[in-house]
């Protein structure tokens, strides 16, 4: 009995001591407080510095989605939408060694602050235009290679550019889902084409200059009136992104290339599919029609030449070590230029199928090439921020 009050008193004293300890204010020395404040400042500075960098990296990754998607599509684990029609058998040519390797271009235009996504010569040969990731456009005089004007065209990157047949109008296709038409001489905006729900990647003028075709990530091809900007037709049938559009020389058909590995030929008047061309085993990123309208070149995992009348394959070129992003016929139809993931531009003899030259100077992917129709010049645009000019003879 006498032990209980003692034990109780002991426990009570311990409880009181613990309460007093809790209530006592914690005192921090000036030195510790200084270190604490400096630590908070350090964390704040780190957030301020690293957050914009992180956001910029995220933005850059988003901008590269089409390129990353295409590279990824060449890997076994990627399973894009399969075309429903039967796939044609494409004969595969052996990988070729170029007859000549050229490592020095004739000229490198002033370096861009951002990657260059597209390049195009005006049909009259007087201007060369290029677009950047920042949504800007630059024009050069093709003869003296001086900048004649530059201006911001879109708030986001520009994937596709094109001149009208008379060289007076210039079109820009952007990640913002719009296409804008500009006066090529003064750079004034004439009309904005709005109707696509997603990124517009491909753009092309009809031979008479009255219609413009656009291809979008919303899986459609749209035809617009150049003067009014009114939508004429929406062509549906692709099962994935549309990367490229081009008219046939007679203006009767529009051809489109897609992430779904197919190429479709459409009747411009009716909007119906005339023919589906199948055979690529990866997304088709680029197409070009020969000047005589008989042959179509397409770039994907290989470069294929097709008979447009029958849709059958004529030849296939292998020389790139990665995906092909751009193919273009020369003005005489005798040469095809191609470029892609392996940082190179290849020149091919159309008749023999031989790889004549490999142009190797860019530091990274080359998404666009274009011939000057009035000379032997070839321009290439790269994500390394340069435009290079080559002698394509």
């Amino acid at each position: 009995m006498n032990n209980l009050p003692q034990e109780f008193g002991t426990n009570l004293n311990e409880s009181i001591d613990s309460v007093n300890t809790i209530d006592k204010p914690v005192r921090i020395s000036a030195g510790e407080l200084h270190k604490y404040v400096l630590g908070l400042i350090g964390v704040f500075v780190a957030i301020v510095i690293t957050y914009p960098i992180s956001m910029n990296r995220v933005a850059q990754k988003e901008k590269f989605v089409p390129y990353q998607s295409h590279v990824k599509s060449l890997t076994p684990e990627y399973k894009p939408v399969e075309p429903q029609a039967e796939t044609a058998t494409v004969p595969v040519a052996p990988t070729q060694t170029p007859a000549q390797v050229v490592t020095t271009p004739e000229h490198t235009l002033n370096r861009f602050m951002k990657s260059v996504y597209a390049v195009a010569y005006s049909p009259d040969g007087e201007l060369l235009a290029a677009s950047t990731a920042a949504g800007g456009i630059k024009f050069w005089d093709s003869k003296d290679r001086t900048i004649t004007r530059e201006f911001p065209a879109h708030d986001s990157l520009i994937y596709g550019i094109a001149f009208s047949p008379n060289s007076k109008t210039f079109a820009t296709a952007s990640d913002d889902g719009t296409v804008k038409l500009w006066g090529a001489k003064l750079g004034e905006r004439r009309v904005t084409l709005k109707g696509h729900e997603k990124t517009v990647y491909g753009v092309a003028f009809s031979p008479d200059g009255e219609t413009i075709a656009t291809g979008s990530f919303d899986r459609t091809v749209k035809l617009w009136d150049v003067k009014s900007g009114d939508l004429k037709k929406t062509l549906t049938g692709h099962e994935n992104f549309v990367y490229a559009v081009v008219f046939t020389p007679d203006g009767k058909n529009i051809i489109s290339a897609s992430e779904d590995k197919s190429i479709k030929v459409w009747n411009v008047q009716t909007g119906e599919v005339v023919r589906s061309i199948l055979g690529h085993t990866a997304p088709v990123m680029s197409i070009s029609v020969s000047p005589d309208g008989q042959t179509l070149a397409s770039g994907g995992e290989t470069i294929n030449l097709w008979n447009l009348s029958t849709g059958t394959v004529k030849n296939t070129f292998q020389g790139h070590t990665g995906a092909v992003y751009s193919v273009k016929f020369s003005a005489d139809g005798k040469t095809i230029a191609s470029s892609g993931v392996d940082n190179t531009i290849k020149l091919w003899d159309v008749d023999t199928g031989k790889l004549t030259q490999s142009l190797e100077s860019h530091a990274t992917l080359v998404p666009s090439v274009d011939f000057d129709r009035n000379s032997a010049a070839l321009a290439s645009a790269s994500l390394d921020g340069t435009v290079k000019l080559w002698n394509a003879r």
Side-chain angles (χ1 to χ4, degrees):
M1 296 292 295
N2 294 333
N3 290 335
L4 289 176
Q6 184 178 357
E7 292 177 359
F8 180 78
T10 302
N11 292 337
L12 181 59
N13 290 334
E14 290 176 354
S15 299
I16 293 172
D17 289 340
S18 64
V19 172
N20 291 338
T21 302
I22 292 172
D23 291 339
K24 290 179 180 180
V26 178
R27 295 184 178 181
I28 302 175
S29 66
E32 292 175 336
L33 180 60
H34 182 69
K35 291 180 180 178
Y36 180 74
V37 173
L38 287 178
L40 288 178
I41 294 174
V43 172
F44 178 76
V45 171
I47 292 174
V48 170
I49 293 176
T50 60
Y51 182 77
I53 296 175
S54 300
M55 291 300 98
N56 183 59
R57 287 176 178 173
V58 170
Q60 289 301 319
K61 286 182 180 180
E62 291 177 349
K63 289 176 181 178
F64 281 77
V65 165
Y67 302 103
Q68 291 174 336
S69 171
H70 188 53
V71 174
K72 187 178 180 182
S73 70
L74 301 180
T75 62
E77 64 269 20
Y78 182 70
K79 297 179 180 180
V81 178
E82 295 290 342
Q84 298 301 311
E86 183 179 355
T87 301
T89 302
V90 179
V92 179
T95 301
Q96 299 186 44
T97 301
Q100 181 183 15
V101 176
V102 180
T103 58
T104 305
E106 283 199 336
H107 190 75
T108 298
L109 298 176
N110 63 303
R111 187 174 180 85
F112 287 75
M113 293 298 292
K114 298 285 186 177
S115 303
V116 188
Y117 283 79
V119 65
Y121 277 103
S122 61
D124 60 14
E126 295 183 2
L127 295 174
L128 174 64
S131 68
T132 73
I137 291 292
K138 290 190 178 183
F139 286 91
W140 288 267
D141 182 295
S142 62
K143 295 182 176 59
D144 61 22
R145 297 164 182 171
T146 57
I147 292 181
T148 58
R149 58 196 162 281
E150 53 185 311
F151 56 92
H154 295 263
D155 292 331
S156 55
L157 64 86
I158 298 170
Y159 282 124
I161 57 178
F163 281 95
S164 62
N166 62 9
S167 300
K168 293 182 179 181
T169 305
F170 182 75
T172 55
S174 173
D175 188 49
D176 64 15
T178 70
V179 174
K180 295 181 181 180
L181 304 184
W182 311 82
K185 185 176 181 180
L186 301 177
E188 77 282 5
R189 188 172 68 182
R190 294 180 173 174
V191 67
T192 298
L193 309 180
K194 295 181 179 180
H196 282 294
E197 297 177 358
K198 295 183 179 180
T199 296
V200 185
Y201 202 91
V203 60
F205 282 90
S206 61
D208 60 11
E210 295 181 0
T211 303
I212 192 166
T214 56
S216 169
F217 284 10
D218 64 11
R219 305 182 182 187
T220 69
V221 175
K222 292 182 183 293
L223 302 180
W224 313 77
D225 183 273
V226 171
K227 292 182 179 179
S228 66
D230 293 337
L231 178 63
K232 292 182 172 182
K233 288 185 179 68
T234 296
L235 312 180
T236 60
H238 280 296
E239 298 177 357
N240 216 316
F241 302 156
V242 178
Y243 285 122
V245 288
V246 63
F247 283 89
T248 52
D250 59 12
K252 295 180 179 179
N253 299 113
I254 179 74
I255 306 172
S256 57
S258 172
E259 171 88 7
D260 65 15
K261 307 177 188 177
S262 76
I263 299 167
K264 292 187 182 297
V265 182
W266 313 77
N267 183 294
V268 171
Q269 292 299 320
T270 66
E272 297 178 349
V273 176
V274 176
R275 182 174 293 105
S276 289
I277 299 176
L278 303 173
H280 277 285
T281 59
V284 188
M285 294 292 293
S286 181
I287 47 180
S288 181
V289 180
S290 60
D292 62 8
Q294 299 300 308
T295 305
L296 174 73
S298 59
E301 78 289 0
T302 59
I303 299 162
N304 294 339
L305 298 188
W306 309 87
N307 184 317
L308 265 181
S309 299
T310 62
T312 56
V313 68
K314 300 171 66 174
N315 204 347
T316 182
F317 303 155
Q318 284 193 320
H320 287 282
T321 58
V324 178
Y325 281 83
S326 183
V327 291
K328 194 63 63 90
F329 272 99
S330 60
D332 60 10
K334 295 181 179 180
T335 303
I336 288 177
S338 61
S339 66
V341 176
D342 62 6
N343 310 347
T344 71
I345 301 101
K346 309 289 186 187
L347 298 181
W348 308 84
D349 184 288
V350 174
D351 293 331
T352 65
K354 291 184 178 180
L355 176 56
T356 59
Q357 292 187 66
S358 180
L359 313 179
E360 304 175 6
S361 178
H362 284 294
T364 187
L365 189 152
V366 185
S368 179
V369 293
D370 195 31
F371 281 102
D372 180 0
R373 302 181 191 179
N374 304 280
S375 70
L378 174 73
S380 58
S382 172
L383 301 194
D384 65 13
T386 64
V387 172
K388 296 181 184 289
L389 306 181
W390 310 83
N391 187 333
R393 292 187 186 280

